[in-house]
Amino acid sequence: MLRLYQTTVHSRLMLGSARYPSPQVLADAVKAARAEIVTVSLRRESAGERAGQAFWSLIRELGVRVLPNTAGCHSVKEAVTTAHMAREVFGTTWIKLEVIGEDDTLQPDVFGLVDAARTLCAEGFEVFPYTTEDLVVAERLLAAGCGLLMPWGAPIGSGRGLNNLFGLKALRAHFPEVPLIIDAGLGVPSHAAQALELGFDAVLLNTAIAQAGDPVRMAAAFAQAIEAGLAARQAGPIEPRDLAVPSTPVIGTAFRG
């Protein structure tokens, strides 16, 4: 089980809700992934009242926990305002905080992110900050009141996997007790398995499933990968070595003089 603020969940796979071919495919993918948390964009659901109501009905029927996000926000004021609106609309203090600083990579503006997190945490929000693997930024976010961190694996929607293994390993080592969720950039189930093998607690993804040829089958594959990665981590993998180590005992075997 995984504890996020005051909530305990069993699934370590969280899904986004955008860009699916249809609401039914989204519903089937969520079920196949066995996801308990689904992110939603306030802007998308507010674009059309009737469409928004239909989506909200679908989420309620799935019985998942909603994690609203501030996707598309480029300033502290914009992100904070969106978070307040999301709390009213969705009735939750959870907020996935995004403050975008660069349009081509959608890299977080970590300075604005820390400011916005400080404001929202002080106002009673439970903040899920979309951040980089930078250790200093991580310290600032935790000091601001965040109870977990969501570092990117790679740019949103890129499918490139875990780009900076050294940085991600360092982040895990520096904050062994903090829940860490890989958010963005994963493309295939092996990326998710690798994240869990490294000791990360969960992954959040959208594009890799929503835009797959068969989103439902891909969702099931990611669920299996998460289980495999967690089991491997708990089993205690061997450390990499520079030299070969015989897997067959050499004592008592014949050898040439």
Side-chain angles (χ1 to χ4, degrees), residues 16-227:
S17 57
R19 304 183 68 186
Y20 282 84
S22 70
Q24 187 59 54
V25 173
L26 166 61
D28 292 343
V30 171
K31 293 175 183 177
R34 302 189 294 278
E36 297 176 52
I37 297 172
V38 173
T39 64
V40 297
S41 169
L42 176 66
R43 295 185 175 197
R44 185 170 70 87
E45 303 319 323
S46 299
E49 182 177 353
R50 186 172 300 177
Q53 290 175 350
F55 176 83
W56 190 229
S57 297
L58 172 64
I59 293 297
R60 284 199 298 267
E61 291 172 3
L62 289 172
V64 295
R65 174 125 188 183
V66 171
L67 174 59
N69 66 42
T70 63
C73 292
H74 287 73
S75 70
V76 173
K77 181 178 180 181
E78 192 179 14
V80 170
T81 300
T82 301
H84 279 279
M85 294 172 63
R87 181 164 61 180
E88 292 298 320
V89 170
F90 297 108
T92 178
T93 56
W94 278 17
I95 191 71
K96 179 174 178 257
L97 181 60
E98 298 182 24
V99 183
I100 301 302
E102 205 281 321
D103 287 333
D104 289 334
T105 62
L106 299 180
Q107 180 168 327
D109 171 2
V110 294
F111 305 102
L113 179 67
V114 171
D115 287 345
R118 185 180 297 110
T119 297
L120 292 173
C121 288
E123 295 176 347
F125 283 88
E126 294 174 310
V127 177
F128 291 62
Y130 165 60
T131 183
T132 66
E133 66 277 14
D134 188 284
L135 296 177
V136 177
V137 176
E139 288 278 13
R140 299 291 174 83
L141 288 168
L142 296 174
C146 296
L148 54 82
L149 300 170
M150 302 184 75
W152 65 347
I156 295 172
S158 67
R160 298 184 64 85
L162 305 181
N163 269 356
N164 183 0
L165 287 177
F166 175 82
L168 291 171
K169 288 178 180 179
L171 189 69
R172 178 72 284 176
H174 276 71
F175 305 103
E177 304 301 324
V178 177
L180 299 179
I181 302 166
I182 292 292
D183 177 17
L186 304 188
V188 291
S190 59
H191 294 158
Q194 184 181 29
L196 272 290
E197 289 169 0
L198 291 178
F200 285 82
D201 299 285
V203 303
L204 191 158
L205 43 88
N206 189 165
T207 307
I209 290 178
Q211 297 292 289
D214 185 339
V216 178
R217 191 171 185 179
M218 186 63 79
F222 267 99
Q224 294 168 3
I226 290 290
E227 291 183 357

